[in-house]
Every structure is written in structure tokens, then in C-alpha cells.
Amino acid sequence: MTVTAVAPARRARLDLSWPVLIGFALILCALIVLPMSWLVYFSVTDKGHFTLANFVKLATDPTFIDPLVTTVILATSSAVICCAVAAPMGWLIARTDMPLRRTIRALVTASFVTPPFLGAIAWELLAAPNSGLLNQAWRALLRDPQAEPLFDIYTLPGLIFVVSCYTFPYVFVLVANALDRIPGDLEDASSILGGRTWTTARRVTIPLALPALLAGALVAFLQAMTLFGSPAILAIPAGFHTMTTKIWSLFQYPPKLELAAAASLPLLVLTVLLLRAEHMILGRRSYALVGGRQSDPRLVRLGAWKWAALGFAFLVLLNPVFLPYGALLNAAFSRVATQIVSFGNFTLRNIEFVFFELSATKLAVRNTLILGVSSATVGTLIAVVISYVTARKAIAGWRALAFLATAPIAVPGIVLGVGLFLSYTRPPFVLYGTLWILLVAFVTIALPAAYQQLQAAFRSVSVDLEEASRILGATRLQALAHITAPLLRTSVIATWCFIFVGVIRELSAAIILFTSETKVISVLIFDLNESGDLGAIAVLGLIMLVITFAVVIAINRIPGFGAIRLRNA
Amino acid sequence: MLTRRTVLASSTALAASAAFATRVAAAPAAEAVTPALIEAAKKEGKVVWYTSIDLAVAERLAKSFEAKYQGVAVRVERSGAERVFQRIGQEYSSNIRAVDVVNSSDASHFVAWKRDGWLAPYVPEDVAKFFPAEHRDPDGLFATCRVTLSVIGYNTTLVKAEDAPKSFADLLDPQWKGKIVKSHPGYSGGTMTATYQTARDLGWEFFEKLARQNVMQVQSMTDPPKKLALGERAVMSDGAEYVLALLKEDGKPVEPVYAVEGSPLINGPNGIFKGAPNPNAARLFQSYSFSPQAQQLIIDVGGLRSVHPQAKEKSGRKLLSEIKLMKDDPAAVEKMSDEIKARYTKMFRV
């Protein structure tokens, strides 16, 4: 290590650590404490007077109770379905000799980066009761054009299915990673004691993975509960609301901000409670998983069953990946969005329209890229500093910083959107109408996961190297810049890409905060869906996926990229 | 031509036209498109047009403007008229001045914007010379840029012509349960206008009964025709006539129905905002929008109707004079729109 540059020690120099750290604490307060305070304030006021009327309305008006009940049903069912599918999938991928395991993992990642609202639109193309491609195929199979549809996506079960499709990867990643880490010697011990393959799986592997599965269920519940795009696309045509679409509808003219703030609080409280539960479960898990990996996990030999297993995996992946992407690709090149492309109806009209006629395309793509890059950069920077401080316990208040950085995970996107709207449409900080407010939203949303990732990375770097540098006269910041940062390069890049991807698929906060000049691709797609322009959506969606996949592939080339958590749009 | 103008005239708000007649003299003088204006517009380089016209049609109009006045780009900000109204209100209350020119399918919005003093007077030559008095604001703040109807429609492969509904009353027949698609007055200004006229003429009971037909609820009035074309639903209870016309001419299996009770009439005015960031480009675009060229374009490629006497109706389309119309009344819609939204949301649950 070259240390000559900082060798002349003991020069009186201002250590910038404190101002920087206080500055970051203030930033975090602006990101989280300010919007949440406004949210609470608005929820208990009516034109400036204190009142609990908003909550009374919330608790007694069926137009609020029904969406809340629907949301709970949606979230619970999705969590159950996700676990039922992700557990066997995760086990097959992590612990068996099923063929094509790497490919399947990559494909699950593909469903991970697919924005849920885009998936919902693709499923409209597939399973709208009359025009849906699958229902058309079903009727062709029966040779009965009048047959009842096989699927109706505009129903609560339809919504639960689509939400599950794009929530399942969260559970899968948690389960598969947990199974990856279970040391093989525990299973060996079971075998030596006479346990057969299935006994070992039942008595050892599954119990060890169970906490991760439960944590996954909670994450799935939260994701399904806070999702905005999919219910807006599938529930409203069917004539019902979820909490998120209800909150959003309160922003329509004439806006009822106080009620929107009050309606946001149940989501916030529920999220906090569930995260406490998750924390307790994950806390329990630590007894089982002993630090690093003792020996490689033993792969269960499936024998002839491996082909059945592969069939199952592909059947599962049909729903979030193959079918929707096929439907979007088809719609992009077909004169009628729900007709299979043929010589008769092949068209480049949609491509031409999106690239050369749609005047919002350029602006939306530009805004999305600017926001993606800047949010990723700012978010990574904040996460690096805070995870450094907390990993090294560098200042007295590090616990508060850690809490602030993790707190946004309890704030659903749409609730954050409402809070930021209330905070930054009035002096002293008028950010509404600029990209700044979206930057604030996206950084806040991404911060908890970015912080968790980087904190784990910091813990893996020995403190000795930094101390050597400081003994030689470097300040904390110099040590960080010259010693620690280079060692963490891969984690930092992975975090950057991760935030970038999250920004591109974000809809729920953006839908509250955008203005005409600050539109992003996700909002544009949502707009187009409301006027039924499916061909243009397909093209824009594919553009979005190309951008996203380019970044995700870059992530996957970086070694050591582990469990990630994407926030839902 | 005369017949169409007469029909349009007779179908317009009585209260409004009475007021217009006495105050026309006060209108600002018409302004021609001068080389100086074009130069100034080019300097600004762009114009932002908030509109609720179907996106493809709006972009065609924008592209034709860009072709004529090279160097002035049009950015179309398209959403439902009620959303556009909300967006402008929200932006203005945060001191954001983004909109130059606005077009709304809910003419009552211009009543509100005029009262708030947000619109800038500007009378294009064509408006002064050719537009009937009841289609232009006496103070020169706006004029009707397009006319369309909200119509019933059906998919011809799913429904035989003789079985198709002929009236609003027919839509309540049990055979259409689960087969109707309709748009939302909280999003679409055309649907807001149509909902007002339908409820006024047929009573809210009509919507109460319609809500029990398990309708598919979409947002924009441009969407039901597209859902019919896909075959997703057999019948639409309301939707944009012009989008349906375009789809039909494109060979899609759709057919409009002009209800025996009358079809709701929707006037879409264009106006310039006082706070327009590109005031000269806004004027140039406003002038262009009312020119015979643009008015012919919205008929030919847009399926819309024009009140410009020089614009010729496309052959094969039904003339407005042959259709029984409901009367529009922007002043009444302006007073009732919040109530209409609330009642509608209660009935249809979204």
C-alpha cells in the first residue's frame, strides 16, 4: 500500500468529519422526518384547525373500509401464494441437482426488474376476459367463440395473481439465499445418523430455512399492500379500490389532502408493525446460521424427477416472464394489440409513433435517465457515509443515523409521495415542479436497502487498514477515500446499479409528485394506459426493459452481488 | 355548411349566447400572423400544449404545425381534461408556469379559468372572420377548436346490427350485463360533459341502473372505442365519436349508435394562458389551430368536427345536422362538476 503521500504526520489540519456527519443527519431529517411530520399534521387538521374528523371518516365510511379490507385480502393472499411457489423453487435452485439452475436464477432476476405496472398491463393483454390472448386460445381450443373466459384479470383473484407474479422474487431470493448459506455439515450429520435424503430435508433443511420463508412472507405482504400500479390498472376497471388507489384518487380534483394524509397513516402503521415482526423473526434466525460457510451445501439428487422439477420451474416462470414479455413484444409489432403478429397485421407504426411522434418520449426518457443517474449517485454517497459511520461507530450519534437510514423502509412509496408533496409545495422548500423533489423521493426510497447492503460490505473490511492510514496522519475522510473506498468498489457499484434500476421502475411516489415538465417513463406509461394506447405502451415498456436489463446485466457481472431488495413501484 | 352552423348554434348554451350578443363589440381586435410573430415564436423555439384530444390525433396536429413553422417544437401534454384541469390548478398554486395553450373537452373549465383571470386575450383572424359568435368568447379568451359527440357504440362481430342498442334505455337491458365499457367523468372532460347532459335529460336513475350492469370502468373517453375494437367488450355506453370513426375507417369492427334520446355534444375550446412561458409561440399555435388547414386536418385525420365554415366534412361520415343532439351548458357543468364526480363515484364505486 502506498502511504508516502500522507506520510508527513501531525500537521494541524481541520478534521471535516463532524460537519460532514451533522450535514448528513440534517439531510436524513429532510428526507424522512419533515415529510412524515407534515403527513401527521395534515391528518389531524382541517383548514388549519385540529380535528379527528378525518380519522372518523376513515373508520366509518365504507368507501374507505372496503379498500382497506380489499388491501388486507390482497396482501395476505399474495404472501401465501408467493411462499407456496417460492419455497419449492428456492429449494430446487439452491439444494438440488436440477438442470439449468443458473438460467432459472437469472430469469427470476428478470421478473425482479420488471416493473409491476408493466406486468399488469401485459397481463391485460393476456387475460382480459374477451380480448386476452390466453382466452382467445382457450376459445379456439374449445371451438366455441361464445365460451366463458378461462381467466378474467379484472377481478380480485386476477389482481392477486398478477401482484404475486411480481412479488414472488422477493421471497424466492430470501429463501434461496438462506438455503445457500445453510452449512452442508449439518445435513451430513443427519445422513451419517441414518437420515435419508427426504428425512434430512424435512428435519434439517426446511426448519433452517423456515425463518427466511416467514420473513419472505412479510416482505411479500408489505410489497403487495403498498403497490399502486397494478391495482390502478386492474382493480379500477373492475370497480373496486385498494388503499393505494384510494389515496391517489383523493389527489384528483377537488383534492382532499387532509383525507389523503389520514388515509396514508394506516399503511404506515401497518408497515411499521410488520417490520417489527420481521425483525423479530430474522433476529431468531441468527442462531441457526453460523457466520460463514463451513462446507458447500449438499445437492439432493433428484434422479428422473429433475425433469419434472425443471418443468415446474418453467411453468412458474411462464407467468412473470415468458408470457408477459411475449405479449408485450407481440403488441409492439401488431396492428391490434391482442392479435398474434402475422404477415397481415405486422406493423412498425407503434415504434414510429413512440420514437418520432410522441413528443413526451424524449422528455420522459431524459428525465428518467437524469433521475436514475443522480439518485443512484447521491443515494450511494449517502449510504456509503452512513454505513461507514455505523459500521465503525465513528461518532456518538451513529445509532440515530442508522435508524434514520433504515426508517424509510417503513414508508410505502405513495405515502412518501403524499408526505413530500405536503412538505415541498410550500415555503421554505418549494421543490415541487422540479426534478429535485423526485430525486428526494427516489433517494429516500432506495436508502434503506442501499444502506443495508453497504453496511454489510463495510463490516467485511478490517478496520486495521483504516487505522494504519490514520496513524500516518490522514483524516477520517482521507482514510475513507484512499483506503476503504477502493476496497469496497464492487459493493458500491452494485449499490449504484441497484438504485438506478429501482428508480426506473418507480411509479407510486412519482405519480403523486410529477409535473408536466418532470414526467418520467413510468408515469408516461401509466398515462398511456388510461387512454388505452397499448401499442405505444408495449414499445415504451420494452425501451424501459432494455435500459434496465443493460444495468442489471452489468450488476450480475460484478462478483459478490448478493441478496438485494428492490422496492416496489 | 349553413345547416351545420345553424345546428351548432342552436345547440349551444342559451345563457351564454345571450350574454355574448351584447358584449361582442368589446372583443379585442383580430390579430394576423405576422412575420414578426413567427420570428418571435422561433426564438422561443417551443410551445407546450395541454390537451385532452386523443394522443395520436393531437400529435398529428402538432407535427403539422411543426412542419409549417419549422423551428417551433410542440410538446403535447395529453391527459383527460379533468386531469389537465387539476394539473394546471396544482401547478399554478405552486407557481409553476408550464402551460402555453390549453384545449379541454370540458368547456366549463374555461368558465373557471376566465373567472380566475388566468387566460390571455388573443383572437386569431380566422376566429374573428369565420367563427359563429356562440363558439367564441366575447372577450377573446378562447374559441371552439373542435366538436365531437359522446356516442353509444358496439362491436360488429360480437353484436348484430339489429340487436344493437338504439337508445340509452336499451343499455339497461339485462342482455348487456357485463358487456358494457364506459369512461369516467373524473378523468375525461368529454365524459363529464356527457354525464351532465345525460343526467339532466334522462335523470340520475339512468346511471344508477347502468351501474348495476357491471360495466368495465375505463378512464379516457378515447378508450371505450379502443376496447370495442379489441373485442374486449361488446358495447360502449359512452365514448369519443371521433376515435370510433377513425377505428371504423381503419377497418376495425366498430359502429357508432346515435341514441334516440339524443347524443351529448362536446365542444373543445382552445385558449392561451396569461402566464405562458412561450407567449409568441402560443399565439402562433393558437392561430394555426383555427386555420382552415388545421381545422380540415382534425376532420380528415382526427375524425373530429369543426365549426370553421371553410372546413369540409369528410364523405361517409354522418353530418351533425342529421343527428339528434343534447344541449351543452358549460356554465351549469362548472357549477355541478364536483357534485357529478361525487355522485358518480358513489354509484360506480370508483
Side-chain angles (χ1 to χ4, degrees), chain A residues 82-135:
Chain A
C82 287
C83 288
V85 177
M89 275 279 276
W91 179 74
L92 286 173
I93 301 291
R95 309 296 287 193
T96 71
D97 63 347
M98 186 178 77
L100 295 177
R101 278 169 303 166
R102 280 174 63 98
T103 314
I104 289 167
R105 253 191 203 214
L107 285 168
V108 176
T109 316
S111 64
F112 218 161
V113 301
T114 308
F117 59 86
L118 194 60
I121 295 170
W123 270 99
E124 281 190 289
L125 296 168
L126 286 164
N130 301 302
S131 60
L133 291 164
L134 294 176
N135 288 318

Side-chain angles (χ1 to χ4, degrees), chain A residues 63 124 128-132 136 152 154 235-241 246 248 251-255 335-338 349 353 356-360 363 421 425 430 432-434 511-512 514-517 519 526-534 536, chain B residues 46 48 50 54-56 59-60 63 66 74-79 82-83 85-87 90-91 93-94 96 98-99 158 178 184 186-187 215-220 222-223 226-227 229-234 250-252 337-338 341 345 348-350:
Chain A
T63 65
E124 281 190 289
N130 301 302
S131 60
Q136 287 183 41
D152 182 354
Y154 301 113
I236 290 177
F240 67 92
H241 272 297
K246 186 71 191 172
W248 168 75
F251 266 73
Q252 305 312 312
Y253 196 86
R335 278 189 65 227
V336 179
T338 53
R349 178 80 194 102
F353 179 74
F356 301 108
E357 286 179 31
L358 183 58
S359 50
L363 183 80
F421 181 85
T425 44
V430 185
Y432 180 65
T434 65
I511 199 74
I512 301 281
F514 83 98
T515 57
S516 61
E517 295 291 324
K519 212 174 241 188
F526 188 74
D527 265 3
L528 290 170
N529 186 62
E530 288 184 316
S531 52
D533 295 306
L534 297 170
Chain B
K46 68 164 182 177
V48 180
Y50 283 30
D54 184 61
L55 186 62
E59 296 285 7
R60 292 292 281 273
K63 288 290 165 285
E66 287 174 357
V74 183
R75 198 163 64 68
V76 175
E77 173 67 21
R78 195 267 157 204
S79 189
E82 304 305 316
R83 290 277 172 78
F85 184 71
Q86 178 221 6
R87 181 131 303 283
Q90 200 164 300
E91 290 181 355
S93 63
S94 303
I96 297 166
V99 52
L158 299 174
H184 200 296
Y187 172 95
V215 299
M216 176 184 189
Q217 180 70 70
V218 296
Q219 299 295 315
S220 173
T222 67
D223 199 7
K226 294 169 192 170
K227 291 284 181 281
L230 292 178
E232 182 42 51
R233 287 293 187 272
D250 192 37
K252 304 284 172 13
S337 91
D338 291 355
K341 280 177 198 166
T345 308
F348 288 85
R349 289 175 299 139
V350 280

Side-chain angles (χ1 to χ4, degrees), chain A residues 249-269:
Chain A
S249 77
L250 294 170
F251 266 73
Q252 305 312 312
Y253 196 86
K256 301 174 196 71
L257 298 180
E258 287 86 1
L259 217 45
S264 301
L265 287 180
L267 287 186
L268 189 63
V269 171

